[in-house]
Amino acid sequence: MSSTPYIGITGFTNQDDVWQCLQRVPAAPQRQFMVGVLLSSKTINGGTNKYPVRYPHYRDIKGIFLDDPRCLNMIHYVTDDKTTLDKQLMDAAEIGGELCHGFQLNIVWPDINVLREIKNELPNHKIVIQCSGSAMRLFEGSEDTPRDLKQTISVYEDYGVIDYLLIDPSGGRGKSFDAVNTISLLKPHSGVSYAVGVAGGLKASTINNLIPVLKEQPNLFWDAEGGLRDDGDNFILEAALEYLDLSFGFDSLLNAKEKNNENT
């Protein structure tokens, strides 16, 4: 695995919230702090979409990211027009600026050839393939969904266009993931070049849902979005800080466990 796992929060709209959250990140964390900023084919030109509170104006995105080695600064991108995805992502990279480290593609099975072009143009940018509920419909009726998912992702790996695989049935709506199903889906992805992770309804009160998955996938990464927002879709800073405290607490426990194993 060449990609460093992370603990993420998606939906930042200002730098102050990022800075406040960064204070909860250890000086030398096992996992980076993923700072996720949302951008879409509608907002990339100054328009709005159905989640206006979560999407900053595209001109403000560059100023949200911090220059800190603990941060993995990512634009989470969604589009209704995949035919011009290459141009859109190049525009998104310019919008993100020098501190943008890559993209999470909230797109059902993005075209591999487009991603190859992006990797050629932006070789240092990381790519997260989000495997949403919509993406998983590809395997409806399959007798072995984990195997079929692995085979599909292997093509992206063969072409060097995936750094992270995110199992995310929620799509930012706060729907909790199923630990048993997630373990089954991720089990075939051992010894791969990309990191594997999960999202779905994560917050302080549900963070323990990660424990069984972490036991199977100690290098797991994870991300929270909808679970850290109120009924008006506003970001709840206090909830984010509590989520980070508990998440990086898992990091400390895992480090301690690894040291104990080395000493026995």
Side-chain angles (χ1 to χ4, degrees):
M1 184 187 67
S2 59
S3 298
T4 303
Y6 60 72
I7 294 166
I9 292 178
T10 296
F12 284 107
T13 58
N14 64 79
Q15 191 183 83
D16 184 63
D17 284 344
V18 177
W19 186 88
Q20 295 281 355
C21 287
L22 188 60
Q23 307 315 301
R24 304 303 179 98
V25 180
Q30 179 178 324
R31 289 168 173 79
Q32 285 184 286
F33 170 43
M34 192 282 293
V35 177
V37 177
L38 294 162
L39 182 67
S40 77
S41 53
K42 294 179 180 178
T43 65
I44 199 169
N45 294 313
T48 59
N49 62 15
K50 61 182 179 179
Y51 297 108
V53 178
R54 300 191 192 194
Y55 282 75
H57 194 281
Y58 75 91
R59 291 196 184 97
D60 297 332
I61 290 177
K62 190 179 299 186
I64 295 173
F65 296 134
L66 289 172
D67 186 6
D68 190 292
R70 294 171 293 173
C71 291
L72 179 67
N73 299 319
M74 303 289 284
I75 286 178
H76 291 221
Y77 193 73
V78 62
T79 181
D80 296 324
D81 179 16
K82 292 198 285 188
T83 62
T84 60
L85 180 59
D86 51 349
K87 181 182 184 304
Q88 293 174 61
L89 290 180
M90 291 303 295
D91 289 344
E94 184 174 350
I95 286 169
E98 295 181 357
L99 297 181
C100 177
H101 299 134
F103 313 107
Q104 175 174 311
L105 301 179
N106 299 338
I107 299 165
V108 176
W109 304 119
D111 187 280
I112 289 174
N113 291 319
V114 170
L115 300 190
R116 289 177 70 187
E117 293 179 20
I118 294 301
K119 277 289 193 179
N120 286 334
E121 293 291 333
L122 304 167
N124 295 322
H125 276 54
K126 302 292 186 180
I127 292 179
V128 182
I129 300 292
Q130 181 211 41
C131 194
S132 64
S134 297
M136 291 302 295
R137 292 194 188 104
L138 176 67
F139 311 114
E140 282 184 345
S142 169
E143 294 182 358
D144 192 343
T145 298
R147 179 202 62 194
D148 293 344
L149 172 62
K150 175 61 166 59
Q151 289 178 345
T152 301
I153 294 298
S154 291
V155 181
Y156 286 88
E157 183 183 25
D158 290 343
Y159 283 95
V161 295
I162 179 173
D163 299 286
Y164 297 90
L165 167 65
L166 177 69
I167 303 297
D168 181 10
S170 174
R173 295 185 296 274
K175 176 183 176 182
S176 294
F177 69 92
D178 179 275
V180 174
N181 185 52
T182 299
I183 290 169
S184 174
L185 290 173
L186 293 181
K187 190 172 183 179
H189 302 265
S190 60
V192 295
S193 62
Y194 51 89
V196 296
V198 64
L202 288 173
K203 52 187 174 181
S205 62
T206 64
I207 198 73
N208 283 343
N209 292 344
L210 288 171
I211 291 176
V213 191
L214 274 165
K215 288 179 178 178
E216 298 291 331
Q217 298 282 350
N219 291 316
L220 188 79
F221 70 89
W222 58 92
D223 186 22
E225 185 179 344
L228 305 180
R229 312 191 80 87
D230 64 19
D231 292 340
D233 209 31
N234 299 292
F235 181 68
I236 309 171
L237 178 60
E238 295 77 9
L241 298 178
E242 190 176 2
Y243 155 81
L244 289 173
D245 286 341
L246 293 171
S247 291
F248 283 104
F250 282 143
D251 249 6
S252 300
L253 289 174
L254 288 171
N255 283 331
K257 183 177 180 181
E258 288 178 2
K259 289 180 180 178
N260 288 334
N261 289 339
E262 290 173 359
N263 294 330
T264 56

